[in-house]
Amino acid sequence: MGVKIRIQNSIIQLVVTSDGVRHQVSTGLHLTGIKQQDAEVMRLAEILRSKKEIQLVERMNGINTAESKMTLYAYVSKCGDEKGHESQFYKALPYIEKFGGREVRISSITPLWFENFQKRMEKDSGLKPATAEKYCCIVRQCLKKAVRDGALHNDPASGIKHIRVPESERPYLTAREVQRLASTPYKMPYTDESLQDEIRRGFLFAICTGLRISDIQLLQWRHVDLETKQLAKVQKKTRRAVYVPLKDEALPLMGDAGAPDDFVFPILAKTRTSTNRYITAWAEAAGITKHVTWHIGRHTDATLLLEYGADLYTVQRLLGHTKIATTAKYAKVTDRKSREAVAALPDFGIAETV
């Protein structure tokens, strides 16, 4: 049993060994290369390591940790604060409260309780299956963390089947629709024109690179190598690095290069305006009937890459998917490979017999 600090690619993690099982826990800290700052970062990492080790000792001796005394509602709220995904976690909280999460303590949750909670979420909440599953996955994620923190001995959600979610469509823009969108000027009333310009350039950049809006907002010039025409960035959502070659027509979308720590799209990085509204209205002005949002830019890049001959593994690397199955969903949208496979079949001479 023990807790050690591990540094990999400047990211500091804790390696926890308990009951013969070893797992890693993110500290949220990373080294900067600046000596004075890194000394302070390592001091904080040691404090986190010590706290984690105390939790393990408490667990071994049957001492209830502070987390185990928390209600599920309070614990999910705390996890949301720590992860920085507050909006997703907080959206789940009303349903956690509705189905008993305000009363039940983390240490009291059993497999039966979680199974009943999931059934109520699926049947009684009025949510779509995908949304109910997403909120249940938030609870699952928090229960796994409770095990790592020593607040639970075992994960009560382990082995319980997930809510079945019908396969959703992955809308995308065709190459012709992208051309139409790019050539359509649009101005939204009462909206800053500089922001509108960055939304336009940012969305077209998403189509060229497959980056999520969260990564476009955080994109800095240090992530871009103009000489090799490539960007390298760790994704906010998955923490996986992506290396994306830049099309020539993507380069002007970024504007003039700035200092390494400057944002490529500085207005997008700071705005709190709902930018999807502009994209939707812009698409309507271009005569596109699909409901167009930021994420369709990513869908478009993935689908068109496959449509124009890229293989699944290449697209997986470019988009930074953790599983090839995620990438394979885009292959169902395009029928290029199906047409090629059917066309490659030999002639059976059927026409001569008809």
Side-chain angles (χ1 to χ4, degrees), residues 196-221:
Q196 294 185 54
D197 176 63
E198 269 203 15
I199 296 171
R200 287 173 60 89
R201 291 189 289 109
F203 184 69
L204 294 173
F205 191 74
I207 291 173
C208 292
T209 61
L211 290 182
R212 299 178 180 88
I213 175 57
S214 57
D215 292 318
I216 289 176
Q217 288 175 312
L218 297 176
L219 186 66
Q220 296 174 303
W221 282 106

mmCIF file of all heavy atoms in Angstrom, residues 196-221:
data_model
loop_
_atom_site.group_PDB
_atom_site.id
_atom_site.type_symbol
_atom_site.label_atom_id
_atom_site.label_comp_id
_atom_site.label_asym_id
_atom_site.label_seq_id
_atom_site.Cartn_x
_atom_site.Cartn_y
_atom_site.Cartn_z
ATOM 1 N N GLN A 196 -18.394 38.100 -34.547
ATOM 2 C CA GLN A 196 -18.979 37.365 -35.668
ATOM 3 C C GLN A 196 -17.894 36.878 -36.632
ATOM 4 O O GLN A 196 -17.929 35.748 -37.119
ATOM 5 C CB GLN A 196 -19.990 38.235 -36.414
ATOM 6 C CG GLN A 196 -21.224 38.585 -35.579
ATOM 7 C CD GLN A 196 -22.259 39.348 -36.372
ATOM 8 O OE1 GLN A 196 -22.691 38.902 -37.423
ATOM 9 N NE2 GLN A 196 -22.673 40.507 -35.869
ATOM 10 N N ASP A 197 -16.908 37.744 -36.887
ATOM 11 C CA ASP A 197 -15.819 37.367 -37.786
ATOM 12 C C ASP A 197 -15.030 36.188 -37.225
ATOM 13 O O ASP A 197 -14.687 35.248 -37.954
ATOM 14 C CB ASP A 197 -14.887 38.561 -38.002
ATOM 15 C CG ASP A 197 -13.677 38.202 -38.848
ATOM 16 O OD1 ASP A 197 -13.865 37.841 -40.028
ATOM 17 O OD2 ASP A 197 -12.546 38.250 -38.320
ATOM 18 N N GLU A 198 -14.775 36.205 -35.918
ATOM 19 C CA GLU A 198 -14.013 35.100 -35.315
ATOM 20 C C GLU A 198 -14.827 33.815 -35.283
ATOM 21 O O GLU A 198 -14.280 32.723 -35.411
ATOM 22 C CB GLU A 198 -13.522 35.466 -33.907
ATOM 23 C CG GLU A 198 -12.168 36.077 -33.938
ATOM 24 C CD GLU A 198 -11.404 35.966 -32.623
ATOM 25 O OE1 GLU A 198 -11.785 35.159 -31.730
ATOM 26 O OE2 GLU A 198 -10.414 36.685 -32.486
ATOM 27 N N ILE A 199 -16.136 33.932 -35.083
ATOM 28 C CA ILE A 199 -16.980 32.731 -35.109
ATOM 29 C C ILE A 199 -16.920 32.091 -36.492
ATOM 30 O O ILE A 199 -16.760 30.875 -36.630
ATOM 31 C CB ILE A 199 -18.439 33.068 -34.742
ATOM 32 C CG1 ILE A 199 -18.537 33.569 -33.299
ATOM 33 C CG2 ILE A 199 -19.329 31.826 -34.910
ATOM 34 C CD1 ILE A 199 -19.901 34.129 -32.941
ATOM 35 N N ARG A 200 -17.026 32.928 -37.534
ATOM 36 C CA ARG A 200 -16.967 32.415 -38.908
ATOM 37 C C ARG A 200 -15.638 31.708 -39.155
ATOM 38 O O ARG A 200 -15.609 30.566 -39.623
ATOM 39 C CB ARG A 200 -17.119 33.565 -39.918
ATOM 40 C CG ARG A 200 -18.507 34.146 -40.044
ATOM 41 C CD ARG A 200 -18.493 35.384 -40.934
ATOM 42 N NE ARG A 200 -18.016 35.053 -42.287
ATOM 43 C CZ ARG A 200 -18.806 34.648 -43.277
ATOM 44 N NH1 ARG A 200 -20.111 34.534 -43.076
ATOM 45 N NH2 ARG A 200 -18.316 34.380 -44.465
ATOM 46 N N ARG A 201 -14.541 32.406 -38.843
ATOM 47 C CA ARG A 201 -13.224 31.824 -39.096
ATOM 48 C C ARG A 201 -12.990 30.593 -38.222
ATOM 49 O O ARG A 201 -12.429 29.589 -38.662
ATOM 50 C CB ARG A 201 -12.134 32.864 -38.846
ATOM 51 C CG ARG A 201 -12.124 33.988 -39.880
ATOM 52 C CD ARG A 201 -10.915 34.898 -39.756
ATOM 53 N NE ARG A 201 -10.955 35.735 -38.567
ATOM 54 C CZ ARG A 201 -10.160 35.580 -37.514
ATOM 55 N NH1 ARG A 201 -9.267 34.592 -37.492
ATOM 56 N NH2 ARG A 201 -10.253 36.389 -36.472
ATOM 57 N N GLY A 202 -13.451 30.657 -36.963
ATOM 58 C CA GLY A 202 -13.270 29.526 -36.058
ATOM 59 C C GLY A 202 -14.036 28.295 -36.502
ATOM 60 O O GLY A 202 -13.530 27.173 -36.420
ATOM 61 N N PHE A 203 -15.271 28.492 -36.996
ATOM 62 C CA PHE A 203 -16.068 27.351 -37.434
ATOM 63 C C PHE A 203 -15.474 26.711 -38.686
ATOM 64 O O PHE A 203 -15.398 25.480 -38.786
ATOM 65 C CB PHE A 203 -17.513 27.781 -37.705
ATOM 66 C CG PHE A 203 -18.411 26.633 -38.072
ATOM 67 C CD1 PHE A 203 -18.760 25.680 -37.136
ATOM 68 C CD2 PHE A 203 -18.909 26.491 -39.361
ATOM 69 C CE1 PHE A 203 -19.580 24.599 -37.462
ATOM 70 C CE2 PHE A 203 -19.727 25.429 -39.700
ATOM 71 C CZ PHE A 203 -20.058 24.479 -38.747
ATOM 72 N N LEU A 204 -15.044 27.531 -39.633
ATOM 73 C CA LEU A 204 -14.400 26.982 -40.830
ATOM 74 C C LEU A 204 -13.084 26.288 -40.459
ATOM 75 O O LEU A 204 -12.714 25.276 -41.067
ATOM 76 C CB LEU A 204 -14.155 28.098 -41.852
ATOM 77 C CG LEU A 204 -15.423 28.732 -42.437
ATOM 78 C CD1 LEU A 204 -15.077 29.940 -43.298
ATOM 79 C CD2 LEU A 204 -16.223 27.705 -43.256
ATOM 80 N N PHE A 205 -12.400 26.811 -39.445
ATOM 81 C CA PHE A 205 -11.170 26.175 -38.956
ATOM 82 C C PHE A 205 -11.491 24.820 -38.323
ATOM 83 O O PHE A 205 -10.733 23.856 -38.469
ATOM 84 C CB PHE A 205 -10.486 27.089 -37.939
ATOM 85 C CG PHE A 205 -9.094 26.670 -37.560
ATOM 86 C CD1 PHE A 205 -8.039 26.858 -38.439
ATOM 87 C CD2 PHE A 205 -8.839 26.094 -36.328
ATOM 88 C CE1 PHE A 205 -6.740 26.478 -38.091
ATOM 89 C CE2 PHE A 205 -7.558 25.713 -35.966
ATOM 90 C CZ PHE A 205 -6.495 25.908 -36.853
ATOM 91 N N ALA A 206 -12.629 24.724 -37.631
ATOM 92 C CA ALA A 206 -13.054 23.444 -37.041
ATOM 93 C C ALA A 206 -13.296 22.417 -38.139
ATOM 94 O O ALA A 206 -12.966 21.233 -37.979
ATOM 95 C CB ALA A 206 -14.325 23.648 -36.213
ATOM 96 N N ILE A 207 -13.872 22.852 -39.248
ATOM 97 C CA ILE A 207 -14.117 21.942 -40.370
ATOM 98 C C ILE A 207 -12.790 21.454 -40.961
ATOM 99 O O ILE A 207 -12.658 20.300 -41.366
ATOM 100 C CB ILE A 207 -14.975 22.638 -41.448
ATOM 101 C CG1 ILE A 207 -16.399 22.855 -40.915
ATOM 102 C CG2 ILE A 207 -15.004 21.836 -42.748
ATOM 103 C CD1 ILE A 207 -17.270 23.691 -41.833
ATOM 104 N N CYS A 208 -11.794 22.342 -40.991
ATOM 105 C CA CYS A 208 -10.492 21.986 -41.571
ATOM 106 C C CYS A 208 -9.651 21.119 -40.648
ATOM 107 O O CYS A 208 -8.760 20.403 -41.113
ATOM 108 C CB CYS A 208 -9.705 23.249 -41.908
ATOM 109 S SG CYS A 208 -10.384 24.231 -43.258
ATOM 110 N N THR A 209 -9.897 21.181 -39.331
ATOM 111 C CA THR A 209 -9.030 20.495 -38.369
ATOM 112 C C THR A 209 -9.723 19.443 -37.520
ATOM 113 O O THR A 209 -9.060 18.578 -36.937
ATOM 114 C CB THR A 209 -8.401 21.525 -37.413
ATOM 115 O OG1 THR A 209 -9.454 22.201 -36.694
ATOM 116 C CG2 THR A 209 -7.560 22.539 -38.172
ATOM 117 N N GLY A 210 -11.056 19.522 -37.396
ATOM 118 C CA GLY A 210 -11.771 18.592 -36.526
ATOM 119 C C GLY A 210 -11.684 18.945 -35.061
ATOM 120 O O GLY A 210 -12.101 18.155 -34.206
ATOM 121 N N LEU A 211 -11.180 20.135 -34.724
ATOM 122 C CA LEU A 211 -11.064 20.533 -33.319
ATOM 123 C C LEU A 211 -12.433 20.874 -32.738
ATOM 124 O O LEU A 211 -13.288 21.445 -33.422
ATOM 125 C CB LEU A 211 -10.148 21.744 -33.168
ATOM 126 C CG LEU A 211 -8.651 21.545 -33.419
ATOM 127 C CD1 LEU A 211 -7.916 22.856 -33.166
ATOM 128 C CD2 LEU A 211 -8.072 20.437 -32.561
ATOM 129 N N ARG A 212 -12.630 20.552 -31.472
ATOM 130 C CA ARG A 212 -13.837 20.970 -30.761
ATOM 131 C C ARG A 212 -13.744 22.472 -30.476
ATOM 132 O O ARG A 212 -12.650 23.045 -30.418
ATOM 133 C CB ARG A 212 -13.986 20.218 -29.441
ATOM 134 C CG ARG A 212 -14.114 18.699 -29.571
ATOM 135 C CD ARG A 212 -14.196 18.067 -28.181
ATOM 136 N NE ARG A 212 -14.321 16.624 -28.259
ATOM 137 C CZ ARG A 212 -13.286 15.795 -28.307
ATOM 138 N NH1 ARG A 212 -12.047 16.271 -28.296
ATOM 139 N NH2 ARG A 212 -13.465 14.484 -28.359
ATOM 140 N N ILE A 213 -14.878 23.098 -30.188
ATOM 141 C CA ILE A 213 -14.896 24.515 -29.863
ATOM 142 C C ILE A 213 -14.064 24.770 -28.610
ATOM 143 O O ILE A 213 -13.368 25.782 -28.509
ATOM 144 C CB ILE A 213 -16.346 25.036 -29.685
ATOM 145 C CG1 ILE A 213 -16.349 26.499 -29.210
ATOM 146 C CG2 ILE A 213 -17.144 24.166 -28.740
ATOM 147 C CD1 ILE A 213 -15.620 27.469 -30.113
ATOM 148 N N SER A 214 -14.091 23.850 -27.632
ATOM 149 C CA SER A 214 -13.312 24.047 -26.401
ATOM 150 C C SER A 214 -11.818 24.120 -26.699
ATOM 151 O O SER A 214 -11.077 24.876 -26.059
ATOM 152 C CB SER A 214 -13.589 22.911 -25.410
ATOM 153 O OG SER A 214 -13.296 21.650 -25.987
ATOM 154 N N ASP A 215 -11.353 23.341 -27.685
ATOM 155 C CA ASP A 215 -9.933 23.357 -28.038
ATOM 156 C C ASP A 215 -9.587 24.550 -28.923
ATOM 157 O O ASP A 215 -8.469 25.063 -28.861
ATOM 158 C CB ASP A 215 -9.552 22.050 -28.733
ATOM 159 C CG ASP A 215 -9.611 20.869 -27.780
ATOM 160 O OD1 ASP A 215 -9.154 21.022 -26.634
ATOM 161 O OD2 ASP A 215 -10.145 19.815 -28.159
ATOM 162 N N ILE A 216 -10.534 24.992 -29.739
ATOM 163 C CA ILE A 216 -10.294 26.187 -30.548
ATOM 164 C C ILE A 216 -10.182 27.415 -29.638
ATOM 165 O O ILE A 216 -9.328 28.282 -29.838
ATOM 166 C CB ILE A 216 -11.424 26.366 -31.581
ATOM 167 C CG1 ILE A 216 -11.306 25.288 -32.669
ATOM 168 C CG2 ILE A 216 -11.388 27.753 -32.207
ATOM 169 C CD1 ILE A 216 -12.420 25.290 -33.688
ATOM 170 N N GLN A 217 -11.016 27.473 -28.615
ATOM 171 C CA GLN A 217 -10.956 28.598 -27.682
ATOM 172 C C GLN A 217 -9.632 28.646 -26.932
ATOM 173 O O GLN A 217 -9.136 29.720 -26.598
ATOM 174 C CB GLN A 217 -12.112 28.516 -26.682
ATOM 175 C CG GLN A 217 -13.470 28.834 -27.291
ATOM 176 C CD GLN A 217 -14.596 28.637 -26.308
ATOM 177 O OE1 GLN A 217 -14.675 27.607 -25.628
ATOM 178 N NE2 GLN A 217 -15.483 29.610 -26.214
ATOM 179 N N LEU A 218 -9.043 27.483 -26.654
ATOM 180 C CA LEU A 218 -7.795 27.419 -25.884
ATOM 181 C C LEU A 218 -6.557 27.341 -26.775
ATOM 182 O O LEU A 218 -5.440 27.240 -26.262
ATOM 183 C CB LEU A 218 -7.827 26.206 -24.950
ATOM 184 C CG LEU A 218 -8.914 26.220 -23.870
ATOM 185 C CD1 LEU A 218 -8.896 24.918 -23.078
ATOM 186 C CD2 LEU A 218 -8.719 27.405 -22.925
ATOM 187 N N LEU A 219 -6.743 27.374 -28.090
ATOM 188 C CA LEU A 219 -5.619 27.238 -29.009
ATOM 189 C C LEU A 219 -4.712 28.464 -28.925
ATOM 190 O O LEU A 219 -5.167 29.606 -29.082
ATOM 191 C CB LEU A 219 -6.134 27.066 -30.437
ATOM 192 C CG LEU A 219 -5.083 26.767 -31.513
ATOM 193 C CD1 LEU A 219 -4.452 25.397 -31.287
ATOM 194 C CD2 LEU A 219 -5.711 26.843 -32.909
ATOM 195 N N GLN A 220 -3.422 28.230 -28.673
ATOM 196 C CA GLN A 220 -2.439 29.303 -28.608
ATOM 197 C C GLN A 220 -1.425 29.131 -29.729
ATOM 198 O O GLN A 220 -1.274 28.047 -30.301
ATOM 199 C CB GLN A 220 -1.739 29.296 -27.243
ATOM 200 C CG GLN A 220 -2.692 29.596 -26.081
ATOM 201 C CD GLN A 220 -2.010 29.446 -24.735
ATOM 202 O OE1 GLN A 220 -1.481 28.387 -24.406
ATOM 203 N NE2 GLN A 220 -2.014 30.521 -23.952
ATOM 204 N N TRP A 221 -0.685 30.207 -30.012
ATOM 205 C CA TRP A 221 0.259 30.160 -31.126
ATOM 206 C C TRP A 221 1.397 29.172 -30.865
ATOM 207 O O TRP A 221 2.011 28.674 -31.810
ATOM 208 C CB TRP A 221 0.801 31.560 -31.421
ATOM 209 C CG TRP A 221 -0.196 32.371 -32.186
ATOM 210 C CD1 TRP A 221 -0.963 33.395 -31.729
ATOM 211 C CD2 TRP A 221 -0.566 32.190 -33.558
ATOM 212 N NE1 TRP A 221 -1.801 33.869 -32.710
ATOM 213 C CE2 TRP A 221 -1.573 33.147 -33.857
ATOM 214 C CE3 TRP A 221 -0.159 31.313 -34.571
ATOM 215 C CZ2 TRP A 221 -2.155 33.251 -35.117
ATOM 216 C CZ3 TRP A 221 -0.749 31.428 -35.828
ATOM 217 C CH2 TRP A 221 -1.735 32.376 -36.092
#
